[in-house]
C-alpha cells in the first residue's frame, strides 16, 4: 500500500457493517474507567471489611493513655481531637485569605494584567509543591524563624518548637489554592446582572460584594473550605516536623502544645508496631476512621459543587 | 460641597480595594518564602562553609599565642559574638578539648574528608570501610557520614517512572471515555467518582500498599524483597491517576464541540472523532497533565516512605528495595542535629525537589494557558 492509499483509508469515515475499531476503542477506554473505579472500591471495601469489627463508639471515644497498641483498650480520641484542632485552626486562617484572594481575582483584577497572571501562576504553583517541602518550610520558617524570634533566645522555648499552631499554619499555606479555586469558580457562576442591578441601585462596589456577591457564592466558599479540610485532614508529611507527636499522655491544652494525629497514627501503627499481627485490628479501624473523615468531606464537596455547576448552567 | 473624584470620594472603598489587593498577594509571597526559607537552611552547605570531617587538623594548645585572633576564631568555629565573650583561659580550654578530641578521632584516610563537598554528593568514592571500588553511598550515620545523593535520585526516578507508566495510560483512557464517549448523565457520575480517589489520603494509600498490595504483587510476580520500587510505584500511581485524569479531562472537554460535530457530520464515528480530532487538538493539555502528574509523583512522600522498603541501595532494578528523596527527608530529619550537616543536606535535597516541581508546574501551567487561549481564539 502506498502512502497515499494509507492516508485515503484513514480519512475514509464511511461505516461498513460491524465497526471493530470503534468497539475496541470504546471497550479499552471503558475498561480503564471501570478498572480505576474498581481499585477505589477494593481499597474502601478492604478497609471497611477488616476495620468494621473493631470500629465502635468505644474505639472512637476511648483514650490512648493506657497502651496505644492494646487492641482491647486503645482508642483514638486524642488523635481525633488533635486532627480536628489542627484542621479547625487551619480553616480559620485559610478561608478568609482564600476568599479575599478569589474576590480580588474575579471582582477587581484585570484578567490580562501581569499581576493577575503572576498571582494565578503562584496559586497553581503552590498547589503543586510537594507536601514534604511544606514540612521543611514549616520547620524553617514558622518554627526556626518566627517561633525562635518570638522566644528571643529564652532558655525554655515556648514558640520555637513543634506545636498545633505551626502545623495549622503550614497546612493553611498548603490548602490555600483549593479555597481560592473553589471560591473563584462560584464567584464566576453568579450572573453579572445581579452585580449590575446592585450597582444601578446605588450600592458601591464593596457593598455589592459583601451583601450580594458573597452570600450568593456561599456554596462555593463552603466547597472550598470542605475540600481544604478533607485534604489537610489526611496529610501527614507537612506535620511530621511541625507538630505531630508520637505519643502524648494528655490532650493538648494550648495552641503551643504538640498533638497526636490520626494520619500520623496510621503511619506509626503500620511501620512501628511491636507486633503487627496483634495490632492489625486497631490499624484497620484507625484507617477506617480517617477514611470516613476525608471521603465524607469530599463527597459533601462534590455534591455542593454539582449544585453550583447546575445553577451556573441554568443562569447562563 | 465640592465634587470629589477618585479615592477621595469614597476613602473606605479605596482602602478596601487596596487591602484586598494586598491580601491577594499572599500566594506569591508564600511561594517566595517557601523557596527562601528552605534554601536558607541549605545555604551554608552550598557556600562550602560546612565541614563534616571526623578528624580535623590540630594546632597544639601551647601555640595559641602564635595565631592571629581571626585565625583562632575560624579554627575553633566560633561566631564573632561568641569569640568576644570568651577570655583567654576559656579559649585555651577549648583548644585543649580540641586536642583531646583529635586523639580519639578515627585514624583512617576517610576521616579527614569533608563529605559535604559536591564531588562526594554526586560522584562515587572508594571508602576505606567497604569493598575496594568506587561506590555511591548514602549513609548518614556511623563514624563517617556519607552523603552521596545518587541512590536517592535514582530511587525517586525509579518509583516515579513506574507510577507514570502505570497511571498515565489508565488515566488518559478514562479521560477520553468520560469526556468523549460517555453520555452526559454517566459523565456527571463518573467524573466525581474517579476524582474521589484524590480524597484518599496518601498515608492510607501507603498503608494499603504495605498491608495488601505488597503481598498480592509478590504473589503474582514472585520477586524477592516484598517492599520495592515496583510496589511503591504502583501505589504512587493511584495517587497520580486523579491528577492526570482531572487535567486531561479538562483539556479534552475544552475542545470546542464544533470540532466533534464537524467530524461526525463528515461521517466519522465517535471514536474516530475522539482519537483523530479531539485528542490532537487537546494534545498540549494532555502533555501538561503528564507533566503535572510527574510533579505529583516525584513529590509524594508517605506512599514511598511506607511501601518502598527504604534501603538506599544504588540499583537500577525495580524489584530492589529503594529509598526516595522525599522518604529520606521524612525519615531522617527528626534525628538530624539542628543546624548540623545532615540537617542541611536534607534541606538541600528539599530545595532541589522544590525547584524541580516549581519548573514542572510552571511548564504545565504555561502549556495549559496557551492551549486555552488557542482553543478559545479558534472557537470565536
Amino acid at each position: 500500500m502506498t502512502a497515499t492509499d494509507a492516508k485515503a483509508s484513514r480519512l475514509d469515515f464511511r461505516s461498513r457493517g460491524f465497526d471493530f475499531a470503534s468497539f475496541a476503542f470504546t471497550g479499552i477506554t471503558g475498561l480503564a474507567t471501570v478498572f480505576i473505579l474498581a481499585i477505589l472500591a477494593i481499597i474502601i471495601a478492604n478497609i471497611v471489611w477488616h476495620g468494621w469489627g473493631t470500629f465502635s463508639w468505644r474505639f472512637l471515644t476511648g483514650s490512648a493513655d493506657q497502651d496505644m497498641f492494646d487492641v482491647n483498650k486503645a482508642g483514638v480520641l486524642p488523635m481525633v481531637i488533635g486532627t480536628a484542632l489542627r484542621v479547625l485552626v487551619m480553616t480559620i486562617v485559610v478561608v478568609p485569605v482564600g476568599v479575599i484572594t478569589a474576590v480580588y481575582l474575579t471582582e477587581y483584577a484585570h484578567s490580562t494584567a501581569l499581576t493577575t497572571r503572576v498571582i494565578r501562576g503562584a496559586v497553581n504553583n503552590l498547589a503543586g509543591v510537594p507536601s514534604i517541602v511544606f514540612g521543611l518550610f514549616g520547620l524553617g520558617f514558622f518554627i526556626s524563624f518566627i517561633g525562635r524570634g518570638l522566644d528571643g533566645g529564652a532558655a525554655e522555648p515556648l514558640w520555637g518548637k513543634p506545636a498545633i499552631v505551626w502545623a495549622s499554619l503550614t497546612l493553611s499555606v498548603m490548602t490555600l489554592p483549593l479555597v481560592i479555586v473553589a471560591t473563584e469558580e462560584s464567584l464566576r457562576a453568579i450572573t453579572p446582572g445581579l452585580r449590575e442591578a446592585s450597582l444601578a441601585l446605588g450600592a458601591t462596589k464593596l457593598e455589592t460584594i459583601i451583601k450580594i456577591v458573597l452570600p450568593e457564592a456561599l456554596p462555593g466558599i463552603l466547597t472550598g473550605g470542605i475540600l481544604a479540610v478533607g485534604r489537610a485532614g489526611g496529610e501527614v508529611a507537612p506535620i511530621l516536623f511541625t507538630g505531630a507527636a508520637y505519643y502524648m499522655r494528655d490532650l493538648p491544652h494550648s495552641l503551643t502544645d504538640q498533638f497526636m494525629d490520626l494520619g500520623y497514627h496510621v503511619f506509626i501503627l503500620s511501620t512501628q508496631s511491636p507486633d503487627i499481627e496483634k495490632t492489625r485490628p486497631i490499624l484497620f479501624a484507625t484507617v477506617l476512621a480517617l477514611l470516613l473523615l476525608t471521603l465524607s468531606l469530599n463527597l459533601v464537596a462534590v455534591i455542593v459543587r454539582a449544585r453550583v455547576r447546575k445553577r451556573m448552567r441554568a443562569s447562563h | 460641597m465640592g465634587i470629589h473624584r477618585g479615592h477621595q470620594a469614597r476613602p473606605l472603598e479605596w482602602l478596601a480595594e487596596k487591602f484586598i489587593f494586598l491580601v491577594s498577594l499572599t500566594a506569591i509571597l508564600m511561594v517566595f518564602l517557601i523557596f527562601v526559607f528552605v534554601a536558607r537552611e541549605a545555604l551554608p552547605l552550598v557556600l562550602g562553609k560546612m565541614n563534616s570531617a571526623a578528624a580535623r587538623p590540630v594546632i597544639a594548645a601551647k601555640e595559641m599565642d602564635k595565631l592571629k585572633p581571626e585565625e583562632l576564631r575560624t579554627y575553633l568555629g566560633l561566631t564573632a559574638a561568641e569569640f568576644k565573650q570568651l577570655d583567654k583561659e576559656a579559649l585555651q580550654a577549648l583548644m585543649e578539648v580540641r586536642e583531646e578530641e583529635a586523639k580519639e578521632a578515627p585514624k583512617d584516610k576517610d576521616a579527614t574528608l569533608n563529605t559535604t563537598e559536591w564531588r562526594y554528593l554526586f560522584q562515587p568514592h572508594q571508602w576505606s570501610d567497604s569493598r575496594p571500588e568506587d561506590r555511591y553511598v548514602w549513609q548518614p550515620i556511623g563514624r563517617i557520614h556519607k552523603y552521596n545523593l545518587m541512590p536517592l535520585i535514582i530511587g525517586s526516578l525509579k518509583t516515579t517512572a513506574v507510577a507514570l507508566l502505570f497511571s498515565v495510560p489508565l488515566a488518559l483512557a478514562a479521560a477520553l471515555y468520560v469526556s468523549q464517549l460517555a453520555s452526559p448523565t454517566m459523565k456527571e457520575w463518573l467524573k466525581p467518582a474517579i476524582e474521589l480517589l484524590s480524597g484518599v489520603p496518601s498515608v492510607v494509600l501507603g498503608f494499603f500498599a504495605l498491608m495488601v498490595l505488597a503481598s498480592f504483587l509478590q504473589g503474582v510476580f514472585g520477586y524477592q524483597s516484598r517492599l520495592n520500587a515496583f510496589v511503591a510505584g504502583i501505589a504512587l500511581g493511584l495517587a497520580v491517576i486523579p491528577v492526570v485524569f482531572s487535567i486531561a479531562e479538562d483539556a479534552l472537554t475544552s475542545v470546542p464541540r464544533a470540532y466533534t460535530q464537524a467530524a461526525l457530520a463528515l461521517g466519522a464515528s465517535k471514536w474516530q472523532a475522539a482519537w483523530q480530532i479531539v485528542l490532537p487538538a487537546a494534545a498540549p493539555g494532555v502533555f501538561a497533565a503528564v507533566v503535572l502528574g510527574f510533579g505529583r509523583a516525584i513529590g509524594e512522600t508517605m506512599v514511598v516512605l511506607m511501601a518502598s522498603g527504604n534501603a538506599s541501595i544504588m540499583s537500577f532494578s525495580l524489584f530492589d528495595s529503594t529509598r526516595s528523596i522525599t522518604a529520606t527527608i521524612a525519615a531522617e530529619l527528626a534525628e538530624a542535629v539542628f543546624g548540623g550537616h545532615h540537617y542541611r543536606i536534607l534541606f538541600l535535597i528539599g530545595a532541589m525537589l522544590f525547584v524541580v516541581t516549581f519548573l514542572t508546574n510552571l511548564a504545565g501551567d504555561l502549556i495549559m494557558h496557551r492551549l486555552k487561549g488557542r482553543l478559545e481564539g479558534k472557537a470565536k
Side-chain angles (χ1 to χ4, degrees), chain A residues 104-105 109-124, chain B residues 28 362 365-367 369-370:
Chain A
Y104 177 76
L105 286 175
H110 300 277
S111 60
T112 49
L114 184 68
T115 350
T116 319
R117 279 199 63 184
V118 175
I119 294 177
R120 271 183 213 289
V123 171
N124 287 337
Chain B
I28 303 177
L362 202 64
D365 204 40
L366 283 177
I367 298 167
H369 190 81
R370 285 208 171 168

Side-chain angles (χ1 to χ4, degrees), chain B residues 5-228:
Chain B
R5 314 185 82 180
H7 68 258
Q8 284 169 346
R10 299 185 192 282
L12 189 67
E13 291 280 319
W14 183 78
L15 266 179
E17 186 172 337
K18 291 296 159 209
F19 173 74
I20 290 173
F21 174 64
L22 283 180
V23 172
S24 72
L25 296 179
T26 312
I28 303 177
L29 181 72
M30 284 304 155
V31 173
F32 179 69
L33 284 182
I34 290 174
F35 181 71
V36 168
F37 278 88
V38 174
R40 192 182 80 133
E41 300 289 325
L43 201 62
L45 202 74
V46 181
L47 297 179
K49 285 192 178 156
M50 299 300 286
N51 192 343
S52 69
R56 290 168 295 181
V58 188
I59 306 172
K62 284 170 259 165
E63 294 176 12
M64 192 175 103
D65 296 334
K66 288 180 192 166
L67 293 172
K68 288 177 201 148
E70 189 54 29
E71 282 172 3
L72 186 62
R73 193 180 71 78
T74 38
Y75 170 65
L76 290 173
L78 297 170
T79 62
E82 284 169 339
F83 187 69
K84 262 187 193 164
Q85 284 178 356
L86 298 168
D87 57 10
K88 204 179 163 194
E89 266 173 51
L91 290 172
Q92 186 93 32
L94 279 177
M95 302 236 354
E96 276 160 18
V97 169
R98 189 66 183 269
E99 223 175 337
E100 285 297 311
E101 272 176 8
K103 274 179 200 158
E104 284 163 24
K107 292 284 181 284
D108 64 63
K109 65 180 176 67
D110 289 347
T112 54
L113 296 180
N114 176 11
T115 50
T116 60
E117 279 173 28
W118 290 110
R119 56 189 157 134
Y120 300 115
L121 295 187
F122 292 105
Q123 286 167 15
H125 181 72
Q126 186 186 324
W127 299 99
S128 58
D129 58 352
S130 65
R131 277 172 280 153
E133 58 186 12
D134 282 355
R135 293 177 70 206
Y136 298 92
V137 188
W138 170 271
Q139 203 181 71
I141 44 159
R143 216 161 43 75
I144 294 153
H145 292 203
K146 302 168 190 114
Y147 295 121
N148 198 294
L149 302 180
M150 296 313 281
L152 310 182
I153 295 172
I154 302 288
S156 271
L157 291 179
K158 263 194 319 190
T159 41
T160 302
V162 175
L164 289 183
L165 285 178
F166 171 67
S167 65
V168 167
L170 269 179
L172 290 187
L176 267 176
Y177 184 80
V178 170
S179 70
Q180 303 300 315
L181 303 173
S183 68
T185 351
M186 281 261 280
K187 185 179 168 174
E188 230 162 80
W189 282 99
L190 285 176
K191 194 169 148 65
I194 291 180
E195 282 172 348
L196 205 57
L197 197 56
S198 68
V200 179
S202 58
V203 70
V204 173
L205 287 179
F207 147 85
F208 184 74
L210 181 71
M211 305 296 285
V212 185
L213 199 64
S215 305
F216 172 73
L217 288 177
Q218 195 181 25
V220 174
F221 294 96
Y223 44 74
Q224 230 182 359
S225 57
R226 199 176 86 96
L227 297 177
N228 53 39

Side-chain angles (χ1 to χ4, degrees), chain A residues 13 22 25 104 124 204 206 270, chain B residues 13 21 199 267 271 301 306 365:
Chain A
F13 282 147
S22 187
F25 185 77
Y104 177 76
N124 287 337
T204 64
L206 189 63
S270 33
Chain B
E13 291 280 319
F21 174 64
W271 88 269
T301 310
M306 291 164 86
D365 204 40

Side-chain angles (χ1 to χ4, degrees), chain A residues 201-226:
Chain A
L201 287 171
T204 64
K205 192 161 187 176
L206 189 63
E207 283 167 347
T208 307
I209 289 171
I210 293 175
K211 294 191 180 150
I212 308 290
V213 175
L214 283 184
E216 277 290 306
L218 200 60
I221 298 172
L222 269 178
T223 318
I226 295 166

Side-chain angles (χ1 to χ4, degrees), chain A residues 63-66 77-79 81-82 85 164 245-254 257-261:
Chain A
S63 69
D65 55 2
Q66 305 281 327
L77 186 66
M79 299 86 177
I81 289 180
L85 261 179
I164 295 180
Y246 177 80
Y247 178 73
M248 278 175 65
R249 244 195 103 73
D250 302 313
L251 294 174
H253 294 295
S254 78
D257 281 344
Q258 281 190 277
F259 58 94
M260 290 174 86
D261 180 82

